[in-house]
Amino acid sequence: CTILLDNSTTAMTGHQDHPGTGQTAKGIPAPAVNYEQLAKSLGIERVVTVNPMHVKELRKVLKEEIDSDQPSLVICRAPCILHERPKPTHFVEVDLEACKACGICFKIGCPAIEKDADEKAQINTSLCVGCAVCSQVCNSDAMHLVSWKEARAK
């Protein structure tokens, strides 16, 4: 199983375009590489595209493809949050009583998740983009998505 991470930018070197974005490095429109078609043209019959922000679906797809005895390509496609940062409508709130300080949420590498004095997770709402990946991996169900609108009404 090969995994291709496609966020439609080359973020490590300055957010420039590449053959998969539909624009040249100079920003001129160009045909975009279709990774699904490219893989199939190479004889890879098992090609699955998944949004990596949907953790449960991603785990299911990865398990199926890793367990397969055929070559496969999993394309994890979602926009770069730094390149196409949407205005957050939600943020994650932590129920500190439910948090068991297991640390699994810290492993996703989100800059909005910080440790409090008891090693429990807390969310820096100024950095939270509301993707809810942390709440999807939380083993103690301590993280919940809250709308900004509801929070302001309280």
Side-chain angles (χ1 to χ4, degrees):
C1 173
T2 300
I3 302 169
L4 185 147
L5 307 177
D6 179 14
N7 66 1
S8 296
T9 189
T10 310
M12 290 177 58
T13 57
H15 300 284
Q16 69 267 35
D17 290 304
H18 58 76
T21 66
Q23 294 196 6
T24 68
K26 292 183 178 182
I28 301 168
V33 172
N34 182 311
Y35 297 117
E36 291 85 352
Q37 288 178 353
L38 179 61
K40 289 188 185 247
S41 75
L42 295 171
I44 301 171
E45 294 178 16
R46 296 178 65 99
V47 179
V48 182
T49 302
V50 64
N51 184 334
M53 306 305 268
H54 302 151
V55 177
K56 188 183 256 183
E57 180 186 3
L58 177 62
R59 285 179 174 162
K60 178 181 175 275
V61 166
L62 289 176
K63 180 171 180 8
E64 287 172 4
E65 297 309 310
I66 289 169
D67 290 346
S68 172
D69 59 353
Q70 298 175 344
S72 66
L73 174 66
V74 175
I75 301 170
C76 295
R77 182 174 289 137
C80 173
I81 201 71
L82 298 175
H83 193 60
E84 296 182 25
R85 187 175 178 138
K87 184 174 185 202
T89 58
H90 292 77
F91 65 96
V92 173
E93 191 172 70
V94 180
D95 177 349
L96 292 175
E97 289 184 26
C99 180
K100 295 181 171 65
C102 70
I104 195 164
C105 59
F106 297 113
K107 293 180 181 179
I108 64 173
C110 176
I113 305 171
E114 301 171 346
K115 287 183 184 180
D116 70 5
D118 296 323
E119 299 290 307
K120 293 185 177 192
Q122 62 182 19
I123 305 296
N124 181 331
T125 56
S126 66
L127 296 175
C128 181
V129 296
C131 71
V133 169
C134 57
S135 66
Q136 295 176 62
V137 301
C138 179
N139 288 328
S140 59
D141 202 28
M143 297 180 155
H144 306 280
L145 204 56
V146 177
S147 93
W148 280 104
K149 189 183 246 184
E150 290 174 25
R152 287 185 190 116
K154 289 182 182 179

